[in-house]
Amino acid sequence: MAQFEVILIGTGTPLPSNDRCGGSNVVLGSEAVLIDCGWGASRKLMTSGVTLDRINHLFFTHLHSDHITDLPDFLMMRWTAFGSKQPLHIYGPEGTREVVAGFRSGLNPDVRYRIDHHGDKLDPHAMDCIVHEIPATPDATFVATVGDLTVSAFEVDHEPVKPALGFRVERAGASVVFSGDTKRCDTLVRAAKGADVLVSEALHIGMMNAR
């Protein structure tokens, strides 16, 4: 029996695509963790069969738009369509608090409209975002326990984006590592040592040179 399930939700780039969404992955154990929340992630999560109210912990590798901009849709759909009653814990590098505060502030009018319309059918606490800014360390460092999943973070090389993180998620002796956006670097090599699965960024040089 598999120790965990990994679903690649979005594998696109910042460039427009008809068939790929922004960066996003989900790991399923006794609970679920979402790694990044790029454009279209919420819609793709629903087609994957993962209900949004199952996710109470979101981890950002870095703050490029294609990894974060579906957060408002994720929050609203998790709350209104799936009836979540839990706040969302958001983990990410320095700057995450600023990003989340901006997105959340932009939703305030709609939150008020929906509470006025639906009353106590919606729990406003589910729109709360509890932000944890993670230090970028050269070796994988414990960040959180989510059910039976253990999440560690490490720094990767995504210049000029700094800091940028990768994550290692473990359950019952099995592990998956997410590189985030990076070039080859020793911190990733060390963090991925012994992992069962490595979800690594790949860059199409020809595509980049054509833009």
Side-chain angles (χ1 to χ4, degrees), residues 61-116:
T61 59
H62 65 291
L63 304 178
H64 261 150
S65 61
D66 56 314
H67 290 255
I68 65 174
T69 53
D70 214 52
L71 177 60
D73 276 348
F74 176 77
L75 279 169
M76 291 301 293
M77 285 193 278
R78 176 177 174 270
W79 183 45
T80 59
F82 291 89
S84 177
K85 299 184 182 302
Q86 300 296 319
L88 180 66
H89 288 264
I90 302 176
Y91 306 77
E94 180 182 354
T96 300
R97 187 168 286 106
E98 177 186 0
V99 166
V100 173
F103 280 136
R104 183 60 186 82
S105 178
L107 293 174
N108 280 339
D110 196 12
V111 171
R112 292 193 293 269
Y113 302 150
R114 293 178 189 275
I115 290 175
D116 287 345

Side-chain angles (χ1 to χ4, degrees), residues 57 59 91 132-137 139-154 166-170:
H57 298 263
F59 297 80
Y91 306 77
H132 311 261
E133 290 195 343
I134 303 167
T137 57
D139 293 296
T141 302
F142 171 79
V143 171
T145 299
V146 182
D148 57 5
L149 299 171
T150 300
V151 184
S152 301
F154 54 94
F167 293 104
R168 181 172 177 129
V169 184
E170 298 176 290

Side-chain angles (χ1 to χ4, degrees), residues 29-60:
S30 64
E31 296 189 36
V33 299
L34 186 64
I35 310 291
D36 288 331
C37 194
W39 50 276
S42 302
R43 175 170 56 87
K44 286 293 187 179
L45 272 168
M46 289 187 288
T47 61
S48 78
V50 179
T51 59
L52 273 61
D53 60 321
R54 186 175 177 185
I55 298 172
N56 300 316
H57 298 263
L58 165 61
F59 297 80
F60 286 140

